Amino acid sequence: MSLTLENVTQIVDGQYYINNANLTFESGSFNVLLGRTLSGKTSLMRLMAGLDKPTSGRVLVNGLDVSGVPVRKRNVSMVYQQFINYPSMTVFDNIASPLRLAKESEAVIKQKVIEISDMLQITPFLSRMPLELSGGQQQRTAMARALVKDADIILFDEPLVNLDYKLREELREEMRELFARRNTIAVYATTEANEALALGGTTTILHEGQIVQSGPTAETYHKPCNVIAATLFNEPPINMIPGRITKTEVTFDNTVHFPRTSELQSLQEGDYQFGIRPSHLSLLPKNDDDLEISVQVEVAEISGSETFLHVRNPHFEMVLHLSGVHNYTVDEKIKIYVPTHKLNVFHEDGNLIQACSRRVEDNYHG
Amino acid sequence: MKKTKSNKAWFLVLPVFILVAFSAIVPLMTVVNYSIQDIFGATRYFVGVEWYREILNNSRLQDSLVRQFVFSGSVLLIEVPLGIAVALMMPKAGKWSVVTLLVLALPLLVPLNVVGTIWQIFGRADIGLFGWGLNALGMDYNYAANPMDAWFTVLLMDVWHWTSLIALLCYSGLRAIPDAYYQAASIDRASNWAVFRYIQLPKLKSVLLIGVLLRFMDSFMIYTEPFVLTGGGPGNSTTFLSQALTKMAVGQFDIGPAGAFSIIYFLIILLVSWLFYTAMTHGDSK
Amino acid sequence: MAEIHLKSLAHSYNRHAEKPEYAIREMDHVWHDGGAFALLGPSGCGKSTLLNIISGLLKPSDGEVLFNGVKVNDILPQDRNIAQVFQFPVVYDTMSVFDNLAFPLRNMGAGDAKIQSKVSEIAEILELTEVLKKKAANLTADEKQKVSMGRGLVRDDVSAILFDEPLTVIDPQLKWKLRRKLKQIHQKFKTTMVYVTHDQLEASTFADKIALMYQGQVVQFGTPRELFEQPNHTFVGYFIGSPGMNFLEVKRCEQGVCLGEKIFPLNELEKQALQMIDSNNLKVGIRPEFVHVWDDPDDSAYRAEVEFVEDLGTYKIVSLRLGEHLIKARLQEDQKVPKEHAFISFPEQWLMLYIDEFLVAKDDHNEEN
């Protein structure tokens, strides 16, 4: 099975909710929609589910136009942010409800419900009412209901956002394992870059109703096609520095100069934007092509194992994502090191010209 | 919020349209039809806006229009603040909140003509507790003879009957305010007045809009209760618009002028309701 | 500003029942003046109850809350001089941003000049100057949160600011900005701040000290680093860190503890503890960050099968199977990922011993709690 959106546009009250979306998802795939609040994730899912009709363009299932087919006739499930269950039914009956609608025999229902609840570890609660359960258990019940009917398409609209951090971590892992064995198209909307990375599969980045980039998650992360994708798909957001390439050297904001490295050799002279991931910056020179920049510490956010160091100089602000604990006082003057081969080079209009190169190191603990 | 558009929605609304057409538009058009003709048995002439001119110049009707506005205005001025005050004083939880809710809901359940009858007896100086009581206190109270007393009684009756509605609406509105707002206010050391002015009143706006519109429309069309209580008297002192209309249409069979009257009546309610609505929703989008 | 002392504090909603259940079990903590503290834990652990006790919305059934040594159990929230930022932004919708910020000052009867200067100062810091004239109802969620924070900051007499999961409704990109702002504000004003959250990253980046709560109890109170490096209970190991600590069930053996054939060496203190406590609930824990992964066999390394590799962008998590145990190791972005099998070792320094779920300290200096 496949789900294709072809030039899909949705306009509501003159506003573009979705602007010319083209996407194809294959069955057995896990697809993440990444974007800010109101970027169009929910709108896109509603179009996929058939809850809304596109203003123009077509939604194809297996190559057939299903734009006019009502939701009930499509085999679609949806899981929402809020834990939506039937409050007056037991967990068992909640999970069984789609099967009962499909007029399955009680024996089949029982077997399927047990199977799915085992998988989601809610079997002990089957006879309870949803409101007697914890948030995580309620959301597992909603998920079980979506999963039990072997839907062709399962849509998750930020399902973990109302759950505890640790629980999210666990459910994410479970979901990945759950879908590895299924022949469904799973679509999962989130605002968090880390969640997209943890879920794997493919990632589609949405911004203001437009698809910015779509592809295998790791590839989308490592090769962001433009500034927006790079900013959205990194936590903390990628550092952007305006700069210029001349015949011999590269300048950041007329203040920092360094000779063109081999990676930057092929680029034409002109103005560019350089993106550097917070995790690629360091406090000690590590590579032969490292660029030294003097900055002032603005604030250091220190977790038990990592430090997010916010620094600035008169021209730009940057954040460093460092492993280990590094204590600094405010306004302290320090030097940071930018590995120039790790620079992502963007055109002035924001499009990627060159992604950072990935030199895999042989030593395991450098 | 995002809205969904689908043409199918029209089919779903169609039955309502048909219903509204039969219940409102068709009768309204009949009235329009009456209002521009002179009907006398089987003969009828087209008279244009003649009836409208006559109605607008009729001093008795002008008087009842003024009376009507004063009445509706007084009703709103008394019932809205009183309703809010009652809602603010109601217990927030526990069995007493249930009891107060029940007590408040009671007047709303009494049929209109019964309300009139209750007050008619209640206010009588000879056998009514209220009337007798006032007289016993040395007041010369007689709603059947004194226009001021009649007005007072009609207003009091309406307040008794309908303040509960505002109170209940506001009570539900107040319950919907999250505790965090009150906590924040107490931390900011807001006075009770400031809490009311900046938290409760803004959050009550939407229910108050409904309450004000309902009370305005209802009070502007009041008929049964004063009819039962005072019959519009003494003199014409408590004859409100709907009663004047009924007299004209049913009592005197002046169907043409009555039709014109109805249309004007209808337009006034529409206009004032619209004014209330825009005034109260103004500033939301800024 | 104030020091907050929770003295033999406990809370039960049914104190006088035959078997009272405690939502907060007895604790004794001093939170020093001007510190940044986090109450961290899963939902239902009691962190919100504790916050309400500090703010005065809830009166504790046992023990005392002291602000600068003064008992405040019976003092109302408004008289405790405490500001609070809630999960969902609370602003006065009909007022402008300026009036919102000025509100607490006006309620205290401050003069116009003072209000003007204080509000513009705070607006400047919170980057709200641009929107001062706007109606608060029309702000974005993060701006509203800044306004509710600002209402606490304008007052000079605030003893503490409490935050109740303030970033819940904020987009991740803006979370970063707001978190940083919060940290800067703390450094600038040195107001005592208490931050409630379930997110270990938010807690550990914000706080000087974290109280990690579990089932009504503070299981560990310490710096983020202590919680990360020396979790004193298996729950702390599990809850802090992403992914959490690896735990391996081990058995007593002659040299110390063993996992099958493999022996984990112990130091003297650990050996003593093992002798003193007669329990067979023994575990060793090691953080994924500290697991060493090698390509070639090494004396101290164990051979493990590579089960799964997660590319999380800035780092990778490798799941390795060691006998019946699954061990997670964290690799740097550019580190080579072993195929099929790898050799792993656990540096002694980072290998923790847990008896009955509690940590056995490696040296005597870490007995702060």
Side-chain angles (χ1 to χ4, degrees), chain C residues 165-203:
Chain C
E165 311 209 0
L167 301 182
T168 307
V169 293
I170 313 289
D171 259 13
Q173 312 281 327
L174 290 168
K175 259 183 204 173
W176 281 94
K177 284 183 81 172
L178 211 53
R179 240 173 56 190
R180 176 174 124 192
K181 197 93 251 173
L182 213 60
K183 188 91 190 167
Q184 282 173 321
I185 283 169
H186 180 254
Q187 285 175 349
K188 192 173 159 76
F189 291 90
K190 292 278 175 230
T191 312
T192 310
M193 291 187 177
V194 181
Y195 190 109
V196 167
T197 180
H198 60 83
D199 186 323
Q200 49 129 356
L201 185 67
E202 272 177 40

Side-chain angles (χ1 to χ4, degrees), chain C residues 82-338:
Chain C
I82 269 189
Q84 190 160 356
V85 179
F86 299 88
Q87 195 167 7
F88 296 95
V90 173
V91 294
Y92 303 104
D93 285 340
T94 51
M95 291 189 206
S96 68
V97 172
F98 184 94
D99 290 339
N100 259 280
L101 294 177
F103 191 60
L105 296 174
R106 288 189 179 135
N107 291 332
M108 295 187 317
D112 273 349
K114 158 131 202 204
I115 290 175
Q116 190 70 42
S117 75
K118 199 75 205 179
V119 169
S120 28
E121 181 199 336
I122 297 300
E124 190 67 36
I125 293 162
L126 290 170
E127 292 167 33
L128 287 170
T129 313
E130 301 278 303
V131 294
L132 272 179
K133 290 206 178 82
K134 244 188 174 178
K135 229 178 169 186
N138 300 327
L139 299 178
T140 57
D142 61 306
E143 286 170 331
K144 283 185 184 175
Q145 277 308 46
K146 286 201 271 186
V147 169
S148 42
M149 205 190 308
R151 284 204 314 268
L153 289 169
V154 288
R155 286 164 54 180
D156 297 321
D157 62 340
V158 159
S159 17
I161 304 183
L162 312 182
F163 297 88
D164 191 358
E165 311 209 0
L167 301 182
T168 307
V169 293
I170 313 289
D171 259 13
Q173 312 281 327
L174 290 168
K175 259 183 204 173
W176 281 94
K177 284 183 81 172
L178 211 53
R179 240 173 56 190
R180 176 174 124 192
K181 197 93 251 173
L182 213 60
K183 188 91 190 167
Q184 282 173 321
I185 283 169
H186 180 254
Q187 285 175 349
K188 192 173 159 76
F189 291 90
K190 292 278 175 230
T191 312
T192 310
M193 291 187 177
V194 181
Y195 190 109
V196 167
T197 180
H198 60 83
D199 186 323
Q200 49 129 356
L201 185 67
E202 272 177 40
S204 56
T205 50
F206 171 79
D208 311 329
K209 275 195 155 189
I210 298 176
L212 180 59
M213 293 188 68
Y214 180 55
Q215 295 181 343
Q217 224 162 11
V218 175
V219 270
Q220 189 166 2
F221 181 61
T223 64
R225 191 172 186 168
E226 282 163 9
L227 266 65
F228 183 79
E229 292 181 356
Q230 281 142 14
N232 64 9
H233 188 274
T234 49
F235 178 78
V236 182
Y238 151 84
F239 200 81
I240 300 282
S242 178
M245 202 170 203
N246 295 301
F247 288 106
L248 305 170
E249 278 171 40
V250 290
K251 291 208 162 62
R252 283 167 198 269
C253 57
E254 252 170 68
Q255 296 88 341
V257 290
C258 298
L259 178 74
E261 301 285 287
K262 298 165 190 90
I263 301 157
F264 292 115
L266 298 177
N267 72 15
E268 280 311 309
L269 276 174
E270 288 171 327
K271 280 182 189 158
Q272 275 177 27
L274 202 59
Q275 274 165 11
M276 275 160 59
I277 305 165
D278 182 33
S279 167
N280 283 322
N281 178 4
L282 306 174
K283 283 176 186 160
V284 292
I286 184 150
R287 295 246 172 234
E289 287 82 351
F290 300 138
V291 174
H292 278 204
V293 181
W294 313 86
D295 232 359
D296 305 309
D298 181 274
D299 285 351
S300 62
Y302 312 113
R303 190 187 145 114
E305 308 305 317
V306 176
E307 288 251 315
F308 192 76
V309 182
E310 261 181 285
D311 184 353
L312 295 175
T314 45
Y315 58 93
K316 295 188 187 80
I317 298 294
V318 187
S319 303
L320 299 143
R321 186 160 288 286
L322 183 71
E324 59 196 31
H325 290 279
L326 203 60
I327 292 171
K328 293 194 170 177
R330 178 167 159 151
L331 302 184
Q332 293 301 316
E333 185 181 346
D334 288 338
Q335 235 175 301
K336 209 167 104 188
V337 182

